[in-house]
Amino acid sequence: MGKKDLKLRILNDSTNSINTASKLILNGDAVAVMAETVYGLAVDASNKSAIKNLYSLKKRPKNNPLIIHVESINMALEVGKENEDFLILAGTFWPGPLTIILPQKKNSSISKEATAGLKSVALRMPKSKVFLRLIKKVGKPLAAPSANLSGYISATDSKHVQECFKNNIKLILDSGRCEYGLESTVINLTKKPYIIERMGVINKEEIFKKTKIITIEKNQKKKKIVSPGQLFKHYAPKKPLRLNAKYPKIDESFLAFGSNFADSKYCLNLSKKSNLKEAAYNLFYYLRKLDNLEKKKIAVSPIPMRGLGKTINERLRRASFEWR
Ligand code: TXA
Ligand code: MG
């Protein structure tokens, strides 16, 4: 391997760069690519050694399975067992930020390292154009966790991916900032009642309204957890978080919400208009910025518990030191 190969390339997404990315992936490398949710680090889901490298790159516990990204319902059904509600959910929300867990087919091409040896498989067809083009070009499902070191704040911009992995990866397809800034919703269809294993962009009310399918949001405090990723402290800055803070203390920077707070060096406002979609878009982006300031802690305004606010609060709780 020449020295040139050891250097990270950051390329705008284009037909050429997607071709390059596809070649790297078919060669067993990981490529960072923008999803509509957060950046993903994509590898060939059938390549055992590529998956193993990915886990070590991310320092990810081996028992935490990956989401398999597909470009169509047909591609999903090559690895997952069909079920009527899957067809309704995928037909309604795909391409989009809904990950669906199905029982895995016996002859599935997915490496067992990617699903942590589980009999199920988590599938998602992203809405991000560059991601879809990449899967089509590779012609196979791609395993792609969020492109951050395990436990740290997810990457919503290519420069975050670069900060995390530096020259340990070869290519980032740079498409700017992610549309939502929060991960996909993960729903488990392997048994009833259907459980939402991870809250995300789409909530149970929206699922019910559009499909009449009933789901249950898992109580994060209960012990029985199916999605192993939900066991860990997550999305966390290096600095301690103090939630539901009215004002910051002297040694704290401030992640604000609502019209009362102007932006300043130590205060970033998620949404002055109290718009939760805007707040989600800024959440991880601003947490990273505040994490890099010289203040000891980060105080966070209360965020309303409605719509996307529920997911934002869940992420903040998991990121705070209250979570054990
Ligand atoms: O928005 C997203 O979902 C992003 C983009 C890149 O698509 N991906 C993402 O992947 O957030 P990751 O690896 O950070 O989170 C995957 C979650 C984890 O909580 C994991 O435990 C759960 O999905 N998961 C994956 N496969 C599973 C399975 N077979 N059963 C239960 N949970 C599973
Ligand atoms: Mg993640």
Side-chain angles (χ1 to χ4, degrees):
M1 199 193 281
K3 253 199 168 161
K4 203 169 130 256
D5 295 329
L6 296 173
K7 203 162 160 8
L8 166 67
R9 278 184 293 171
I10 303 173
L11 302 175
N12 291 331
D13 62 72
S14 67
T15 305
N16 270 344
S17 61
I18 290 170
N19 286 346
T20 308
S22 163
K23 278 186 200 143
L24 283 169
I25 288 173
L26 287 168
N27 202 31
D29 283 307
V31 170
V33 57
M34 189 194 76
E36 68 278 21
T37 50
V38 297
Y39 269 75
L41 196 56
V43 299
D44 173 355
S46 66
N47 185 328
K48 181 175 165 171
S49 66
I51 308 266
K52 283 187 155 179
N53 283 339
L54 178 66
Y55 274 83
S56 76
L57 262 176
K58 267 190 63 92
K59 301 190 169 59
R60 182 179 178 102
K62 286 196 186 66
N63 64 349
N64 188 10
L66 303 171
I67 294 173
I68 308 304
H69 295 70
V70 294
E71 50 94 353
S72 62
I73 291 179
N74 278 346
M75 192 183 253
L77 291 176
E78 281 167 24
V79 294
K81 285 190 191 154
E82 183 169 333
N83 114 2
E84 198 186 325
D85 289 335
F86 164 76
L87 292 178
I88 296 171
L89 286 167
T92 307
F93 292 104
W94 283 10
L98 184 69
T99 296
I100 305 175
I101 302 177
L102 289 178
Q104 197 173 170
K105 280 189 172 164
K106 280 231 166 68
N107 62 350
S108 148
S109 60
I110 308 302
S111 160
K112 68 175 191 318
E113 279 70 20
T115 54
L118 296 175
K119 288 191 175 131
S120 58
V121 60
L123 293 155
R124 139 166 158 79
M125 177 179 174
K127 190 173 88 176
S128 155
K129 289 213 168 65
V130 57
F131 209 141
L132 280 176
R133 285 179 70 193
L134 182 61
I135 308 169
K136 281 190 186 140
K137 186 72 204 169
V138 175
K140 297 182 188 186
L142 298 181
S146 49
N148 52 284
L149 293 176
S150 188
Y152 195 59
I153 309 165
S154 303
T156 53
D157 186 280
S158 64
K159 65 173 185 264
H160 301 160
V161 184
Q162 185 183 8
E163 279 161 19
C164 273
F165 297 105
K166 307 201 169 64
N167 286 327
N168 294 327
I169 59 174
K170 289 183 186 161
L171 179 62
I172 298 174
L173 291 176
D174 180 7
S175 316
R177 272 178 77 176
C178 302
E179 181 186 343
Y180 292 111
L182 282 178
E183 296 84 353
S184 64
T185 304
V186 179
I187 173 173
N188 191 340
L189 297 194
T190 62
K191 57 175 192 279
K192 283 194 174 170
Y194 298 149
I195 307 256
I196 294 187
E197 302 286 351
R198 179 177 72 184
M199 292 206 269
V201 172
I202 296 169
N203 61 27
K204 70 171 183 197
E205 288 79 15
E206 189 181 350
I207 293 175
F208 182 72
K209 204 168 152 198
K210 294 191 175 151
T211 64
K212 296 285 171 283
I213 290 173
I214 297 171
T215 55
I216 296 174
E217 269 163 16
K218 186 176 47 207
N219 179 347
Q220 302 291 326
K221 279 181 183 149
K222 274 198 187 141
K223 278 200 181 127
K224 235 183 164 233
I225 285 172
V226 175
S227 244
Q230 304 303 300
L231 284 165
F232 313 114
K233 179 160 184 269
H234 241 324
Y235 319 108
K238 294 183 250 10
K239 310 242 162 97
L241 284 184
R242 184 169 67 88
L243 305 184
N244 296 316
K246 279 201 176 138
Y247 297 99
K249 295 178 184 163
I250 188 78
D251 60 346
E252 293 173 333
S253 60
F254 195 39
L255 188 63
F257 179 84
S259 56
N260 290 345
F261 306 97
D263 283 325
S264 66
K265 185 173 174 200
Y266 295 113
C267 172
L268 294 175
N269 196 322
L270 289 170
S271 174
K272 288 186 190 110
K273 292 175 281 184
S274 300
N275 177 316
L276 290 163
K277 192 166 183 210
E278 183 182 29
Y281 176 76
N282 287 324
L283 178 70
F284 290 149
Y285 196 82
Y286 285 177
L287 270 179
R288 281 195 183 237
K289 282 197 173 187
L290 297 179
D291 207 21
N292 289 327
L293 296 179
E294 64 271 26
K295 295 275 184 187
K296 271 200 194 125
K297 293 185 194 161
I298 304 170
V300 187
S301 276
I303 312 286
M305 273 298 257
R306 59 179 153 81
L308 273 177
K310 280 165 83 178
T311 304
I312 295 173
N313 276 304
E314 188 265 346
R315 299 294 194 269
L316 284 169
R317 192 176 63 80
R318 300 266 314 273
S320 74
F321 279 10
E322 289 167 34
W323 171 264
R324 288 281 177 253

